[in-house]
Amino acid sequence: MMEFQRVCVLGSTGSIGCSTLDVIARHPEKMNVYALTAHRSMQQLAEQVRVHQPTVVVVPTEQAATEFLTYLGQGVAKPEVRVGSHALAQTAADTEVTTVMAAIVGAACLEPALAAASAGKRILLANKEALITAGQVFIDAVKAGNAELIPIDSEHSAIYQCLPERIRRDVPSPADSTIRRLLITASGGPFRTWAPELLSAVTPEQACAHPNWSMGKKISVDSATMVNKGLEVIEAHWLFGMPADQIQVLVHPQSMIHSMVEYVDGSILAQLGQPDMRTPIAYGLGCAERIQSGVGLLELTSLGRLDFEEPDFQRFPCLKLAFDALRSSQAACITLNAANEVAVEHFLNRKIAYTDIVKVIAESIEKITALPSVVLNSLEAVLHLDQQAREQARSLCAVTV
Ligand code: NAD
Ligand code: MG
């Protein structure tokens, strides 16, 4: 029997946050919401509070708090309203919390995810940046805090679901000798078949129109460039201890197989399902037991076929950059992530072209890794390098216009 779960949903107004609330609401006898946090959309947060009645909400500023309370109006039990980024970490570590859904986008999730790790929570990790930037620091915090880490990113959830319990219990774990390779699938995004010369004119709207998944804007652009897959390769490295050479990316346009594990005996285990994040979220919330997620059947007969292709590094240079970064250093991985965030933001604001994203990342990595190397064994050291990389990327974006 799983224990009753009191969930802190970090980033509740986002795409993953909303899907999480949808799944939680299906299981009132097994779980409820302890805290909700949001950075914008105070009206949406107020609506969520009316439905889920959390004990705590966290908002970024006093002004946001006032706005939130105005939207909440009268006749509803008021939650405790906490303000500022430190309140995120404090709330994730509250003693009442059993489970933290880490679904804030970007590096802002790092501090609360680390706090949850140190406090020994069950962490449902949707955010990628915590592992990609902090790497060993985050893993050490999970181990030291005796926390449980369940991946939510669909590929890593698929891999996790294909692992024997012995290995799952130990995640994040060193490489297991029974695993030959991790096979991470990628849809190839909206531009998989576009002529490369057309890419320079791509608009944010086109980049965000993912063929199979409906997601936040940033991750949609990351899927189009395949930076997302690159980040997932690095994420898989930290979660499952596999070196870059034992992680293969396969373009699989139908997005029905979410990833696979190839074992030394020649078996490949795969997890299939509709491309709907509620399946991995339910697997996490169910603590690896199967619970209802609201996701419909996958009709294999109507699907007909499953295709696989080798990714084309010419068309998706960002994927190659990510493999190179993983082989090279953590500083390169941090810079890849930070420079990408800056570049994507500039692209979404129409300040740089789609094809500038890869240039900004590549040049940032070159510049940052040329600096004298520092030991990245603390949150401060990681955040400092992250800031340096962002400044570097910003100055490159400024000259690109
Ligand atoms: P989103 O943009 O839809 O939502 C992000 C949430 O984080 C919002 O609630 C927002 O208010 C909050 N937030 C943003 N900036 C913040 C800040 N500085 N401080 C505090 N809160 C802040 O993003 P999403 O698509 O839900 O993705 C969330 C995370 O999960 C990302 O790291 C993404 O890479 C990962 N992920 C998403 C999907 C998906 O299908 N959407 C799949 C796999 C992994
Ligand atoms: Mg994914």
Side-chain angles (χ1 to χ4, degrees):
M1 263 288 283
M2 77 192 225
E3 61 169 336
F4 190 85
Q5 298 198 74
R6 303 267 289 145
V7 188
C8 166
V9 185
L10 299 171
S12 66
T13 53
S15 162
I16 295 281
C18 292
S19 295
T20 302
L21 293 179
D22 179 284
V23 176
I24 292 174
R26 292 168 194 275
H27 303 281
E29 72 298 345
K30 292 194 172 84
M31 56 191 82
N32 67 12
V33 176
Y34 170 77
L36 295 176
T37 88
H39 202 59
R40 278 180 286 269
S41 325
M42 291 302 123
Q43 185 171 10
Q44 187 187 358
L45 180 66
E47 280 157 24
Q48 293 182 334
V49 166
R50 252 177 252 126
V51 175
H52 298 278
Q53 303 179 338
T55 310
V56 175
V57 301
V58 184
V59 298
T61 58
E62 293 294 346
Q63 192 193 344
T66 311
E67 205 187 316
F68 163 74
L69 288 170
T70 310
Y71 280 122
L72 190 63
Q74 305 298 319
V76 197
K78 276 198 184 55
E80 181 189 334
V81 181
R82 298 180 185 167
V83 175
S85 59
H86 290 301
L88 292 170
Q90 176 205 345
T91 306
D94 267 352
T95 46
E96 290 91 331
V97 171
T98 60
T99 309
V100 175
M101 166 54 81
I104 288 173
V105 61
C109 203
L110 197 53
E111 200 190 330
L114 274 172
S118 302
K121 306 300 185 192
R122 174 176 299 120
I123 305 168
L124 311 185
L125 189 66
N127 172 279
K128 298 167 199 261
E129 293 81 0
L131 274 174
I132 287 153
T133 56
Q136 196 62 48
V137 173
F138 183 59
I139 288 185
D140 289 347
V142 168
K143 295 290 177 197
N146 203 14
E148 188 182 348
L149 190 62
I150 305 185
I152 297 298
D153 205 346
S154 59
E155 294 74 8
H156 308 83
S157 173
I159 291 168
Y160 189 81
Q161 293 182 51
C162 293
L163 292 175
E165 226 247 303
R166 169 182 68 81
I167 303 180
R168 266 205 321 259
R169 235 185 295 128
D170 213 28
V171 164
S173 50
D176 192 88
S177 60
T178 62
I179 299 173
R180 188 181 283 155
R181 284 185 309 173
L182 303 179
L183 309 178
I184 298 186
T185 54
S187 68
F191 310 130
R192 184 175 57 90
T193 56
W194 280 39
E197 60 273 17
L198 296 178
L199 293 178
S200 59
V202 158
T203 64
E205 290 73 24
Q206 288 170 318
C208 289
H210 195 277
N212 304 337
W213 295 90
S214 141
M215 307 179 288
K217 277 193 184 147
K218 195 257 172 187
I219 188 176
S220 295
V221 178
D222 290 352
S223 298
T225 59
M226 274 183 96
V227 156
N228 182 51
K229 211 47 55 180
L231 296 176
E232 288 176 356
V233 167
I234 301 170
E235 212 184 339
H237 160 76
W238 286 111
L239 283 168
F240 308 113
M242 301 298 274
D245 295 341
Q246 283 172 273
I247 305 175
Q248 189 189 7
V249 171
L250 285 175
V251 173
H252 164 47
Q254 292 92 354
S255 291
M256 293 298 162
I257 294 185
H258 299 309
S259 279
M260 301 173 254
V261 181
E262 183 180 61
Y263 289 93
V264 286
D265 64 357
S267 294
I268 294 177
L269 299 192
Q271 185 258 344
L272 287 77
Q274 298 273 13
D276 187 322
M277 289 305 292
R278 288 177 301 174
T279 298
I281 290 168
Y283 191 75
L285 285 169
C287 313
E289 276 179 38
R290 303 286 170 181
I291 61 171
Q292 290 287 348
S293 66
V295 177
L297 284 178
L298 174 61
E299 286 290 358
L300 290 173
T301 46
S302 63
L303 196 64
R305 54 187 277 180
L306 299 171
D307 296 304
F308 303 98
E309 303 161 10
E310 193 91 51
D312 175 354
F313 281 155
Q314 302 272 295
R315 188 184 291 274
F316 298 113
C318 289
L319 182 59
K320 166 109 179 22
L321 284 180
F323 269 105
D324 291 346
L326 178 56
R327 289 194 175 98
S328 125
S329 66
Q330 197 186 342
C333 294
I334 291 173
T335 308
L336 174 93
N337 176 64
N340 177 58
E341 274 191 38
V342 170
V344 170
E345 195 189 326
H346 280 74
F347 166 67
L348 286 172
N349 292 329
R350 296 172 212 275
K351 297 276 198 292
I352 65 169
Y354 178 78
T355 38
D356 289 331
I357 296 174
V358 62
K359 294 183 198 157
V360 170
I361 301 173
E363 270 191 58
S364 300
I365 292 179
E366 212 171 287
K367 294 238 156 60
I368 293 290
T369 52
L371 300 173
S373 66
V374 284
V375 187
L376 295 163
N377 61 356
S378 69
L379 178 61
E380 292 67 36
V382 163
L383 290 177
H384 181 70
L385 189 73
D386 179 82
Q387 278 312 323
Q388 270 184 310
R390 276 165 211 271
E391 275 156 33
Q392 179 61 61
R394 269 187 219 111
S395 64
L396 288 168
C397 284
V399 295
T400 311
V401 257

